Every structure is written in C-alpha cells, then in structure tokens.
Amino acid sequence: LAGLAAGLFSISAVLLRPFIGWILDHRGRRPALLLGLSAMVVFPLLYRAFPWLLLVISLRVVHGLGWSSATTALNTSASDSIPRRRFAEGMGYFGLTSALATAIAPGLGLAIMNGQGSQRLLDWAALAALLSLLLSLWMGRTALPRPASRPGWRFSLKTLVDKDAAPAALIILLFLIPYGGITTFVAMYAADLGLGSGGLYFTCLAAATALMRLLTGRTADRYGEGPLVWAGIGCELGSLLLLASRPAFPGFILSALLFGAAFGMLSPALQAMALRIVPLERRGGASSTFLCGYDIGIGLGGMIPGQLVKTFDYALAYGLLTAFALLALAAYWFWGRKSPSAFRKGRAKGG
C-alpha cells in the first residue's frame, strides 16, 4: 500500500508536468509556483486530519499534482535568473540544494517519526513547505513576451513537449534506471554481502554528488556537456560493474563514490543542455520535458531492477543494468551530441 501511494504520487506528477510547462510559458511562473507550494503545505495537514487509508491514497494523487507544479516552476524560475555563460554552474548550485534535501530528509523524517510520531512528522512537513512558500514571495518575477508573440495558445504535442530538451530528457531517463535500482535494493544487497545496513553507501553517494555539482559546472560551461556525459556514464558503468562483482567493503564504498560522481556530473550538465538555448517563452516546457525524463527514469528504476532481482540475484541484476548506461551512451552519441541543444567548446559561450 505504501508503494501504491508512492507510485500514484509519481504518476500524477509525470502526467501533469507537460501542462504545467505550458502554463509557465503562457501564464507566467508565479501562479503555478504559489499554487504548487500551497498544495505542499495543505496536503500533509489533510493526511493528519483525515487518517483513513483509502482517502490518504486518493489524496496522494492530487498531492503529486502540487509537487509537479512546484518543482517545475522552481526549476524554470532558477533557469530564468542564470546568465547563459554560467548556466551549467548555476544549475549545479541549484541542484545541490535538491541533493542535500534528498540526502537529509529520509534520516530526519525517520528520526522525527520514531521520536514524536507520524502525525508530528506531517506537521513538520507542512511547516517546511510553508517556509518555502514564504520565501517564494520574495522571488523576482520573470517578464514574458506578450501573448501574441508566443506560440501555441492551444494544447498540442508540440507545445507540451519541447524538442530541444528531448535528447537530454532521454539520456537522463536511461541513466536513472540503474540509479533507481541502487536506491531501492543496495541496502538489501549490503546485508546479503554481510556489509551492514548500507547506510554508509548512501552517505558516500550523496557526498560525491554534492562535490561534483560544486566542481564541474564551470567545466560544462567552458567545454560543453560532452566531457561530463562521457565521464559520468563511465563512472556509472564502473559503479555497476563493481556491484556486479560482489565486492568487499572497499569496492562497495568505491561503487558509491563513483555513482555519486556520475550523478553529480551528469545531471546539471544535461539540465543545462536542455534549457540553455531555449528562449524564455519556451523554458517552462523545456523544464517540464526534462523533469518528465527524470521522473520516468526514477519510476522505471524501481520496477525494472525489481524484476531483475526477482528473476536473477542482486549481482547479476546490477550487471544487467549496465545495458541502460550503454543505451544512454548511445543516445548521446547518435542523437544528443548532434542536436541543436548540445553545446561544445565552440558554442558554449553566451550571454
């Protein structure tokens, strides 16, 4: 039932993202941002007020719509404020805040729930969202072109999915399928190998991700996303092959560092690839297209590795997941690096 609630949350978020992107490009950033953050405040309180299982699961669907609206609007607003010549660096800093939150939240949430109870945890979640909503009121507004100069006032596939962001979205989707397998099963694999709870794996992964986000953005702005894509996918392959070898403790930790480095390099570089050439009036759609790839990759990363683990064992499952890293490499080689959104050294500079 917990998995069902999480799945419905993710599915509703993915389905709404393209429409949120259209709204951001045609109605402005602020309405979607404020509505989404308001939903993030209200829904934890609704779970607390109406603790009935079927109702909570139903509410999770609508909660996913609020999450989709808030995150797409925040991502787009961040991209609006970054100069193009430092775009990958700026998106790396922005992404670092998400990485830190993702690293801190699970342990903090469990500590609050175990110490104060699940209802108090919902109160703290609502308070965190409220602080985010209040901070958003101080953000500047993006001036969009007049409606007459903006394309696509009616819904269509062309206005809901941005073609320039599609290569980066596909590559991040393929890259994240093994990531989902790691976040879901590596703790159980660690226990199977006699290496403890696996908590240190996630700590090392988060630390390497944060470090790479801080250090590699300027490299992408100077030389393009190519070096980071090759290096990132190479690190992912190395990490998965280490896990497939049933490693001892040093190899297990090295796998975490390699995958964290891969994630820290690849995510901001591909996000910059998806957004930097897109004009202001299409940036919401480009952001939603990229984040759809991100969400779908995470979602498939729970299902596909699960079937592999069920059919084979952990080690062979991680070995087979290298196929998705190789597909990501092929997608960049045959499509991504040749697309208009690719920014190599000669095209990486801008205003």
Side-chain angles (χ1 to χ4, degrees):
L1 287 172
L4 175 62
L8 290 173
F9 182 89
S10 299
I11 290 170
S12 64
V14 169
L15 291 177
L16 190 70
R17 280 204 194 277
F19 299 96
I20 293 296
W22 187 93
I23 292 169
L24 291 170
D25 289 336
H26 292 84
R27 304 296 186 189
R29 318 306 196 211
R30 183 162 291 247
L33 177 61
L34 296 181
L35 181 63
L37 290 175
S38 297
M40 299 302 291
V41 176
V42 169
F43 276 91
L45 300 178
L46 289 178
Y47 299 144
R48 195 186 194 289
F50 303 103
W52 304 313
L53 185 59
L54 290 178
L55 180 58
V56 166
I57 290 176
S58 300
L59 288 172
R60 286 295 284 174
V61 176
V62 190
H63 194 177
L65 305 183
W67 166 261
S68 176
S69 182
T71 52
T72 309
L74 281 169
N75 194 75
T76 306
S77 298
S79 70
D80 291 341
S81 64
I82 302 171
R84 187 175 299 178
R85 64 182 181 276
R86 300 182 66 190
F87 201 87
E89 181 186 1
M91 293 309 294
Y93 295 149
F94 175 73
L96 176 61
T97 63
S98 297
L100 289 174
T102 303
I104 293 169
L108 180 61
L110 285 171
I112 294 173
M113 187 171 67
N114 293 333
Q116 302 180 26
S118 57
Q119 289 195 335
R120 187 63 65 191
L121 174 62
L122 293 171
D123 293 338
W124 282 109
L127 178 61
L130 177 62
L131 291 174
S132 183
L133 175 61
L134 294 175
L135 287 170
S136 73
L137 298 176
W138 293 336
M139 290 172 55
R141 300 192 181 203
T142 301
L144 295 175
R146 292 184 178 181
S149 66
R150 282 183 257 149
W153 272 89
R154 59 184 180 84
F155 287 126
S156 67
L157 183 62
K158 184 177 180 180
T159 59
L160 294 178
V161 178
D162 191 277
K163 59 180 176 52
D164 288 327
L170 175 61
I171 296 163
I172 198 69
L173 186 160
L174 293 168
F175 171 84
L176 286 174
I177 291 174
Y179 177 77
I182 285 178
T183 57
T184 305
F185 296 109
V186 81
M188 289 176 274
Y189 188 34
D192 186 59
L193 294 173
L195 300 177
S197 67
L200 186 58
Y201 190 99
F202 291 108
T203 301
C204 293
L205 190 152
T209 298
L211 183 63
M212 287 298 105
R213 284 184 184 272
L214 286 173
L215 297 180
T216 57
R218 293 183 181 181
T219 300
D221 287 325
R222 185 172 181 181
Y223 298 108
E225 83 287 334
L228 297 182
V229 172
W230 304 128
I233 296 177
C235 286
E236 182 184 41
L237 283 168
S239 174
L240 292 170
L241 290 173
L242 276 170
L243 290 176
S245 69
R246 301 186 65 87
F249 186 76
F252 189 69
I253 296 303
L254 179 58
S255 168
L257 294 173
L258 284 173
F259 210 104
F263 193 35
M265 284 188 282
L266 204 67
S267 181
L270 289 175
Q271 197 166 24
M273 178 180 169
L275 297 176
R276 68 183 298 144
I277 71 164
V278 177
L280 195 65
E281 63 272 17
R282 284 175 42 209
R283 196 164 284 171
S287 181
S288 72
T289 299
F290 179 78
L291 291 175
C292 278
Y294 202 103
D295 291 338
I296 294 169
I298 293 289
L300 291 177
M303 294 186 292
I304 294 175
Q307 290 301 312
L308 292 177
V309 167
K310 181 180 178 181
T311 306
F312 306 104
D313 61 8
Y314 291 114
L316 184 53
Y318 284 121
L320 293 173
L321 286 173
T322 59
F324 292 97
L326 294 173
L327 286 173
L329 203 64
Y332 185 71
W333 176 263
F334 290 108
W335 186 24
R337 71 188 181 97
K338 300 176 182 178
S339 72
S341 57
F343 59 110
R344 293 182 291 278
K345 183 175 180 180
R347 292 188 279 165
K349 297 180 181 179

